[in-house]
Amino acid sequence: MYRDDRPPLPDWILTIYRTLSARIQREEGGLSRETATDVIVAEGIEAVDAEYALQRLIDRGYLYMVDEELFVTEPAAAEE
């Protein structure tokens, strides 16, 4: 199993991850980055912070992109 020595993501980013993960799984497919940003902004997060959170989630491997759509790397992890 891979061990990540980096500090954990902040709670507010993990909350965004859970929200996006649930939405992506309901869609039964990917979610465009624009739609993901809109979902985050609807939760009261500023657009610039939404973009930052998305990039952190992609960089850390929580989400990945294929053909301009976001997918959850490990759907089961969203329920933890």
Side-chain angles (χ1 to χ4, degrees):
M1 180 175 179
Y2 175 74
R3 183 166 177 249
D4 190 349
D5 291 329
R6 297 175 291 186
L9 291 172
D11 287 339
W12 71 274
I13 293 179
L14 293 174
T15 298
I16 288 170
Y17 169 72
R18 287 188 288 275
T19 299
L20 291 176
S21 177
R23 174 75 182 263
I24 290 168
Q25 290 178 60
R26 277 195 312 269
E27 298 288 326
E28 296 181 8
L31 198 64
S32 74
R33 192 175 184 128
E34 181 179 340
T35 300
T37 301
D38 291 344
V39 168
I40 298 167
V41 169
E43 296 290 320
I45 304 292
E46 296 289 326
V48 67
D49 293 330
E51 284 297 324
Y52 173 78
L54 280 174
Q55 194 57 53
R56 292 284 306 272
L57 290 168
I58 292 167
D59 291 346
R60 285 288 191 94
Y62 285 75
L63 302 174
Y64 66 97
M65 290 194 73
V66 174
D67 295 331
E68 302 300 318
E69 292 197 342
L70 292 163
F71 294 88
V72 178
T73 302
E74 295 182 33
E79 298 174 14
E80 293 178 0

PDB file of all heavy atoms in Angstrom, residues 31-59:
ATOM      1  N   LEU A  31     -17.973  14.524 -14.457  1.00  0.00           N
ATOM      2  CA  LEU A  31     -18.533  15.848 -14.228  1.00  0.00           C
ATOM      3  C   LEU A  31     -17.549  16.846 -14.819  1.00  0.00           C
ATOM      4  O   LEU A  31     -16.350  16.761 -14.550  1.00  0.00           O
ATOM      5  CB  LEU A  31     -18.663  16.053 -12.715  1.00  0.00           C
ATOM      6  CG  LEU A  31     -19.567  17.139 -12.189  1.00  0.00           C
ATOM      7  CD1 LEU A  31     -21.014  16.852 -12.558  1.00  0.00           C
ATOM      8  CD2 LEU A  31     -19.437  17.215 -10.677  1.00  0.00           C
ATOM      9  N   SER A  32     -18.039  17.753 -15.641  1.00  0.00           N
ATOM     10  CA  SER A  32     -17.123  18.736 -16.212  1.00  0.00           C
ATOM     11  C   SER A  32     -16.536  19.600 -15.098  1.00  0.00           C
ATOM     12  O   SER A  32     -17.141  19.776 -14.035  1.00  0.00           O
ATOM     13  CB  SER A  32     -17.846  19.622 -17.229  1.00  0.00           C
ATOM     14  OG  SER A  32     -18.698  20.540 -16.564  1.00  0.00           O
ATOM     15  N   ARG A  33     -15.367  20.124 -15.347  1.00  0.00           N
ATOM     16  CA  ARG A  33     -14.719  20.979 -14.349  1.00  0.00           C
ATOM     17  C   ARG A  33     -15.583  22.205 -14.075  1.00  0.00           C
ATOM     18  O   ARG A  33     -15.688  22.654 -12.935  1.00  0.00           O
ATOM     19  CB  ARG A  33     -13.322  21.364 -14.826  1.00  0.00           C
ATOM     20  CG  ARG A  33     -12.498  22.004 -13.746  1.00  0.00           C
ATOM     21  CD  ARG A  33     -11.079  22.260 -14.212  1.00  0.00           C
ATOM     22  NE  ARG A  33     -10.315  22.799 -13.105  1.00  0.00           N
ATOM     23  CZ  ARG A  33      -9.167  22.310 -12.694  1.00  0.00           C
ATOM     24  NH1 ARG A  33      -8.635  21.286 -13.300  1.00  0.00           N
ATOM     25  NH2 ARG A  33      -8.528  22.856 -11.687  1.00  0.00           N
ATOM     26  N   GLU A  34     -16.212  22.731 -15.108  1.00  0.00           N
ATOM     27  CA  GLU A  34     -17.078  23.901 -14.948  1.00  0.00           C
ATOM     28  C   GLU A  34     -18.261  23.581 -14.037  1.00  0.00           C
ATOM     29  O   GLU A  34     -18.588  24.353 -13.132  1.00  0.00           O
ATOM     30  CB  GLU A  34     -17.577  24.375 -16.311  1.00  0.00           C
ATOM     31  CG  GLU A  34     -18.469  25.593 -16.234  1.00  0.00           C
ATOM     32  CD  GLU A  34     -18.931  26.055 -17.601  1.00  0.00           C
ATOM     33  OE1 GLU A  34     -18.318  25.713 -18.616  1.00  0.00           O
ATOM     34  OE2 GLU A  34     -19.940  26.772 -17.629  1.00  0.00           O
ATOM     35  N   THR A  35     -18.893  22.432 -14.262  1.00  0.00           N
ATOM     36  CA  THR A  35     -20.011  22.029 -13.410  1.00  0.00           C
ATOM     37  C   THR A  35     -19.540  21.784 -11.985  1.00  0.00           C
ATOM     38  O   THR A  35     -20.210  22.172 -11.024  1.00  0.00           O
ATOM     39  CB  THR A  35     -20.699  20.769 -13.972  1.00  0.00           C
ATOM     40  OG1 THR A  35     -21.178  21.060 -15.285  1.00  0.00           O
ATOM     41  CG2 THR A  35     -21.852  20.326 -13.099  1.00  0.00           C
ATOM     42  N   ALA A  36     -18.377  21.154 -11.837  1.00  0.00           N
ATOM     43  CA  ALA A  36     -17.822  20.916 -10.496  1.00  0.00           C
ATOM     44  C   ALA A  36     -17.595  22.245  -9.778  1.00  0.00           C
ATOM     45  O   ALA A  36     -17.929  22.377  -8.594  1.00  0.00           O
ATOM     46  CB  ALA A  36     -16.528  20.121 -10.597  1.00  0.00           C
ATOM     47  N   THR A  37     -17.058  23.215 -10.486  1.00  0.00           N
ATOM     48  CA  THR A  37     -16.842  24.532  -9.894  1.00  0.00           C
ATOM     49  C   THR A  37     -18.161  25.151  -9.482  1.00  0.00           C
ATOM     50  O   THR A  37     -18.294  25.706  -8.385  1.00  0.00           O
ATOM     51  CB  THR A  37     -16.087  25.458 -10.869  1.00  0.00           C
ATOM     52  OG1 THR A  37     -14.831  24.860 -11.193  1.00  0.00           O
ATOM     53  CG2 THR A  37     -15.853  26.833 -10.272  1.00  0.00           C
ATOM     54  N   ASP A  38     -19.185  25.032 -10.336  1.00  0.00           N
ATOM     55  CA  ASP A  38     -20.511  25.565 -10.009  1.00  0.00           C
ATOM     56  C   ASP A  38     -21.096  24.899  -8.764  1.00  0.00           C
ATOM     57  O   ASP A  38     -21.708  25.563  -7.926  1.00  0.00           O
ATOM     58  CB  ASP A  38     -21.472  25.376 -11.189  1.00  0.00           C
ATOM     59  CG  ASP A  38     -21.130  26.251 -12.385  1.00  0.00           C
ATOM     60  OD1 ASP A  38     -20.349  27.217 -12.232  1.00  0.00           O
ATOM     61  OD2 ASP A  38     -21.636  25.952 -13.490  1.00  0.00           O
ATOM     62  N   VAL A  39     -20.907  23.589  -8.642  1.00  0.00           N
ATOM     63  CA  VAL A  39     -21.391  22.854  -7.473  1.00  0.00           C
ATOM     64  C   VAL A  39     -20.717  23.381  -6.204  1.00  0.00           C
ATOM     65  O   VAL A  39     -21.364  23.609  -5.183  1.00  0.00           O
ATOM     66  CB  VAL A  39     -21.148  21.333  -7.631  1.00  0.00           C
ATOM     67  CG1 VAL A  39     -21.361  20.593  -6.327  1.00  0.00           C
ATOM     68  CG2 VAL A  39     -22.038  20.764  -8.726  1.00  0.00           C
ATOM     69  N   ILE A  40     -19.419  23.598  -6.276  1.00  0.00           N
ATOM     70  CA  ILE A  40     -18.664  24.080  -5.115  1.00  0.00           C
ATOM     71  C   ILE A  40     -19.087  25.500  -4.760  1.00  0.00           C
ATOM     72  O   ILE A  40     -19.318  25.814  -3.583  1.00  0.00           O
ATOM     73  CB  ILE A  40     -17.148  24.017  -5.378  1.00  0.00           C
ATOM     74  CG1 ILE A  40     -16.714  22.573  -5.621  1.00  0.00           C
ATOM     75  CG2 ILE A  40     -16.374  24.631  -4.231  1.00  0.00           C
ATOM     76  CD1 ILE A  40     -15.311  22.434  -6.182  1.00  0.00           C
ATOM     77  N   VAL A  41     -19.224  26.358  -5.753  1.00  0.00           N
ATOM     78  CA  VAL A  41     -19.623  27.748  -5.515  1.00  0.00           C
ATOM     79  C   VAL A  41     -21.027  27.797  -4.903  1.00  0.00           C
ATOM     80  O   VAL A  41     -21.301  28.625  -4.025  1.00  0.00           O
ATOM     81  CB  VAL A  41     -19.525  28.573  -6.819  1.00  0.00           C
ATOM     82  CG1 VAL A  41     -20.180  29.928  -6.669  1.00  0.00           C
ATOM     83  CG2 VAL A  41     -18.056  28.729  -7.229  1.00  0.00           C
ATOM     84  N   ALA A  42     -21.899  26.891  -5.318  1.00  0.00           N
ATOM     85  CA  ALA A  42     -23.251  26.827  -4.757  1.00  0.00           C
ATOM     86  C   ALA A  42     -23.230  26.495  -3.264  1.00  0.00           C
ATOM     87  O   ALA A  42     -24.176  26.805  -2.539  1.00  0.00           O
ATOM     88  CB  ALA A  42     -24.090  25.805  -5.512  1.00  0.00           C
ATOM     89  N   GLU A  43     -22.133  25.912  -2.805  1.00  0.00           N
ATOM     90  CA  GLU A  43     -21.970  25.589  -1.383  1.00  0.00           C
ATOM     91  C   GLU A  43     -21.416  26.776  -0.592  1.00  0.00           C
ATOM     92  O   GLU A  43     -21.129  26.653   0.593  1.00  0.00           O
ATOM     93  CB  GLU A  43     -21.041  24.381  -1.220  1.00  0.00           C
ATOM     94  CG  GLU A  43     -21.577  23.104  -1.816  1.00  0.00           C
ATOM     95  CD  GLU A  43     -22.761  22.553  -1.041  1.00  0.00           C
ATOM     96  OE1 GLU A  43     -22.745  22.598   0.201  1.00  0.00           O
ATOM     97  OE2 GLU A  43     -23.702  22.073  -1.696  1.00  0.00           O
ATOM     98  N   GLY A  44     -21.228  27.916  -1.268  1.00  0.00           N
ATOM     99  CA  GLY A  44     -20.768  29.121  -0.575  1.00  0.00           C
ATOM    100  C   GLY A  44     -19.270  29.360  -0.634  1.00  0.00           C
ATOM    101  O   GLY A  44     -18.745  30.205   0.081  1.00  0.00           O
ATOM    102  N   ILE A  45     -18.571  28.628  -1.491  1.00  0.00           N
ATOM    103  CA  ILE A  45     -17.122  28.787  -1.645  1.00  0.00           C
ATOM    104  C   ILE A  45     -16.862  29.734  -2.817  1.00  0.00           C
ATOM    105  O   ILE A  45     -17.519  29.643  -3.846  1.00  0.00           O
ATOM    106  CB  ILE A  45     -16.456  27.417  -1.926  1.00  0.00           C
ATOM    107  CG1 ILE A  45     -16.795  26.397  -0.842  1.00  0.00           C
ATOM    108  CG2 ILE A  45     -14.962  27.559  -2.125  1.00  0.00           C
ATOM    109  CD1 ILE A  45     -16.211  26.661   0.507  1.00  0.00           C
ATOM    110  N   GLU A  46     -15.907  30.623  -2.658  1.00  0.00           N
ATOM    111  CA  GLU A  46     -15.532  31.533  -3.743  1.00  0.00           C
ATOM    112  C   GLU A  46     -14.969  30.747  -4.926  1.00  0.00           C
ATOM    113  O   GLU A  46     -14.327  29.710  -4.742  1.00  0.00           O
ATOM    114  CB  GLU A  46     -14.477  32.533  -3.258  1.00  0.00           C
ATOM    115  CG  GLU A  46     -14.952  33.462  -2.173  1.00  0.00           C
ATOM    116  CD  GLU A  46     -15.954  34.483  -2.672  1.00  0.00           C
ATOM    117  OE1 GLU A  46     -15.848  34.923  -3.831  1.00  0.00           O
ATOM    118  OE2 GLU A  46     -16.856  34.838  -1.897  1.00  0.00           O
ATOM    119  N   ALA A  47     -15.185  31.253  -6.144  1.00  0.00           N
ATOM    120  CA  ALA A  47     -14.745  30.560  -7.360  1.00  0.00           C
ATOM    121  C   ALA A  47     -13.243  30.287  -7.352  1.00  0.00           C
ATOM    122  O   ALA A  47     -12.803  29.203  -7.748  1.00  0.00           O
ATOM    123  CB  ALA A  47     -15.149  31.359  -8.604  1.00  0.00           C
ATOM    124  N   VAL A  48     -12.451  31.233  -6.915  1.00  0.00           N
ATOM    125  CA  VAL A  48     -10.999  31.042  -6.898  1.00  0.00           C
ATOM    126  C   VAL A  48     -10.622  29.928  -5.924  1.00  0.00           C
ATOM    127  O   VAL A  48      -9.721  29.128  -6.194  1.00  0.00           O
ATOM    128  CB  VAL A  48     -10.250  32.370  -6.596  1.00  0.00           C
ATOM    129  CG1 VAL A  48     -10.506  32.846  -5.188  1.00  0.00           C
ATOM    130  CG2 VAL A  48      -8.783  32.230  -6.868  1.00  0.00           C
ATOM    131  N   ASP A  49     -11.320  29.842  -4.800  1.00  0.00           N
ATOM    132  CA  ASP A  49     -11.061  28.774  -3.838  1.00  0.00           C
ATOM    133  C   ASP A  49     -11.551  27.427  -4.371  1.00  0.00           C
ATOM    134  O   ASP A  49     -10.942  26.392  -4.108  1.00  0.00           O
ATOM    135  CB  ASP A  49     -11.724  29.080  -2.494  1.00  0.00           C
ATOM    136  CG  ASP A  49     -11.089  30.274  -1.793  1.00  0.00           C
ATOM    137  OD1 ASP A  49      -9.879  30.511  -1.998  1.00  0.00           O
ATOM    138  OD2 ASP A  49     -11.804  30.966  -1.053  1.00  0.00           O
ATOM    139  N   ALA A  50     -12.633  27.455  -5.139  1.00  0.00           N
ATOM    140  CA  ALA A  50     -13.143  26.230  -5.755  1.00  0.00           C
ATOM    141  C   ALA A  50     -12.119  25.663  -6.733  1.00  0.00           C
ATOM    142  O   ALA A  50     -11.851  24.459  -6.741  1.00  0.00           O
ATOM    143  CB  ALA A  50     -14.466  26.507  -6.473  1.00  0.00           C
ATOM    144  N   GLU A  51     -11.525  26.528  -7.539  1.00  0.00           N
ATOM    145  CA  GLU A  51     -10.503  26.094  -8.487  1.00  0.00           C
ATOM    146  C   GLU A  51      -9.276  25.538  -7.752  1.00  0.00           C
ATOM    147  O   GLU A  51      -8.700  24.530  -8.154  1.00  0.00           O
ATOM    148  CB  GLU A  51     -10.081  27.248  -9.401  1.00  0.00           C
ATOM    149  CG  GLU A  51     -11.088  27.552 -10.480  1.00  0.00           C
ATOM    150  CD  GLU A  51     -11.281  26.392 -11.444  1.00  0.00           C
ATOM    151  OE1 GLU A  51     -10.303  25.671 -11.757  1.00  0.00           O
ATOM    152  OE2 GLU A  51     -12.413  26.197 -11.885  1.00  0.00           O
ATOM    153  N   TYR A  52      -8.899  26.200  -6.672  1.00  0.00           N
ATOM    154  CA  TYR A  52      -7.768  25.736  -5.867  1.00  0.00           C
ATOM    155  C   TYR A  52      -8.057  24.343  -5.307  1.00  0.00           C
ATOM    156  O   TYR A  52      -7.218  23.437  -5.390  1.00  0.00           O
ATOM    157  CB  TYR A  52      -7.509  26.728  -4.730  1.00  0.00           C
ATOM    158  CG  TYR A  52      -6.475  26.256  -3.740  1.00  0.00           C
ATOM    159  CD1 TYR A  52      -5.118  26.333  -4.030  1.00  0.00           C
ATOM    160  CD2 TYR A  52      -6.859  25.714  -2.510  1.00  0.00           C
ATOM    161  CE1 TYR A  52      -4.165  25.893  -3.119  1.00  0.00           C
ATOM    162  CE2 TYR A  52      -5.913  25.266  -1.600  1.00  0.00           C
ATOM    163  CZ  TYR A  52      -4.574  25.362  -1.910  1.00  0.00           C
ATOM    164  OH  TYR A  52      -3.635  24.919  -1.010  1.00  0.00           O
ATOM    165  N   ALA A  53      -9.246  24.159  -4.745  1.00  0.00           N
ATOM    166  CA  ALA A  53      -9.625  22.868  -4.164  1.00  0.00           C
ATOM    167  C   ALA A  53      -9.637  21.779  -5.227  1.00  0.00           C
ATOM    168  O   ALA A  53      -9.124  20.675  -5.003  1.00  0.00           O
ATOM    169  CB  ALA A  53     -10.991  22.973  -3.494  1.00  0.00           C
ATOM    170  N   LEU A  54     -10.209  22.070  -6.390  1.00  0.00           N
ATOM    171  CA  LEU A  54     -10.233  21.084  -7.474  1.00  0.00           C
ATOM    172  C   LEU A  54      -8.824  20.677  -7.869  1.00  0.00           C
ATOM    173  O   LEU A  54      -8.539  19.486  -8.042  1.00  0.00           O
ATOM    174  CB  LEU A  54     -10.966  21.638  -8.699  1.00  0.00           C
ATOM    175  CG  LEU A  54     -12.477  21.588  -8.661  1.00  0.00           C
ATOM    176  CD1 LEU A  54     -13.046  22.297  -9.883  1.00  0.00           C
ATOM    177  CD2 LEU A  54     -12.974  20.163  -8.586  1.00  0.00           C
ATOM    178  N   GLN A  55      -7.951  21.642  -8.008  1.00  0.00           N
ATOM    179  CA  GLN A  55      -6.582  21.324  -8.409  1.00  0.00           C
ATOM    180  C   GLN A  55      -5.876  20.486  -7.349  1.00  0.00           C
ATOM    181  O   GLN A  55      -5.149  19.550  -7.671  1.00  0.00           O
ATOM    182  CB  GLN A  55      -5.785  22.596  -8.710  1.00  0.00           C
ATOM    183  CG  GLN A  55      -4.493  22.311  -9.436  1.00  0.00           C
ATOM    184  CD  GLN A  55      -4.717  21.566 -10.745  1.00  0.00           C
ATOM    185  OE1 GLN A  55      -5.496  21.986 -11.595  1.00  0.00           O
ATOM    186  NE2 GLN A  55      -4.061  20.425 -10.912  1.00  0.00           N
ATOM    187  N   ARG A  56      -6.094  20.804  -6.078  1.00  0.00           N
ATOM    188  CA  ARG A  56      -5.489  20.007  -4.998  1.00  0.00           C
ATOM    189  C   ARG A  56      -6.017  18.577  -5.037  1.00  0.00           C
ATOM    190  O   ARG A  56      -5.256  17.625  -4.859  1.00  0.00           O
ATOM    191  CB  ARG A  56      -5.793  20.622  -3.624  1.00  0.00           C
ATOM    192  CG  ARG A  56      -5.147  21.951  -3.340  1.00  0.00           C
ATOM    193  CD  ARG A  56      -3.662  21.896  -3.012  1.00  0.00           C
ATOM    194  NE  ARG A  56      -3.280  21.008  -1.950  1.00  0.00           N
ATOM    195  CZ  ARG A  56      -3.222  21.291  -0.654  1.00  0.00           C
ATOM    196  NH1 ARG A  56      -3.541  22.494  -0.227  1.00  0.00           N
ATOM    197  NH2 ARG A  56      -2.834  20.387   0.223  1.00  0.00           N
ATOM    198  N   LEU A  57      -7.318  18.410  -5.276  1.00  0.00           N
ATOM    199  CA  LEU A  57      -7.906  17.067  -5.331  1.00  0.00           C
ATOM    200  C   LEU A  57      -7.365  16.275  -6.519  1.00  0.00           C
ATOM    201  O   LEU A  57      -7.125  15.072  -6.413  1.00  0.00           O
ATOM    202  CB  LEU A  57      -9.436  17.159  -5.382  1.00  0.00           C
ATOM    203  CG  LEU A  57     -10.084  17.642  -4.082  1.00  0.00           C
ATOM    204  CD1 LEU A  57     -11.547  17.989  -4.320  1.00  0.00           C
ATOM    205  CD2 LEU A  57      -9.935  16.602  -2.979  1.00  0.00           C
ATOM    206  N   ILE A  58      -7.132  16.944  -7.630  1.00  0.00           N
ATOM    207  CA  ILE A  58      -6.551  16.284  -8.802  1.00  0.00           C
ATOM    208  C   ILE A  58      -5.084  15.951  -8.531  1.00  0.00           C
ATOM    209  O   ILE A  58      -4.640  14.823  -8.776  1.00  0.00           O
ATOM    210  CB  ILE A  58      -6.699  17.168 -10.059  1.00  0.00           C
ATOM    211  CG1 ILE A  58      -8.175  17.280 -10.452  1.00  0.00           C
ATOM    212  CG2 ILE A  58      -5.868  16.616 -11.210  1.00  0.00           C
ATOM    213  CD1 ILE A  58      -8.466  18.369 -11.463  1.00  0.00           C
ATOM    214  N   ASP A  59      -4.346  16.915  -8.008  1.00  0.00           N
ATOM    215  CA  ASP A  59      -2.918  16.701  -7.733  1.00  0.00           C
ATOM    216  C   ASP A  59      -2.687  15.575  -6.738  1.00  0.00           C
ATOM    217  O   ASP A  59      -1.702  14.841  -6.846  1.00  0.00           O
ATOM    218  CB  ASP A  59      -2.268  17.977  -7.193  1.00  0.00           C
ATOM    219  CG  ASP A  59      -2.164  19.077  -8.232  1.00  0.00           C
ATOM    220  OD1 ASP A  59      -2.337  18.792  -9.438  1.00  0.00           O
ATOM    221  OD2 ASP A  59      -1.923  20.235  -7.828  1.00  0.00           O
TER     222      ASP A  59
END
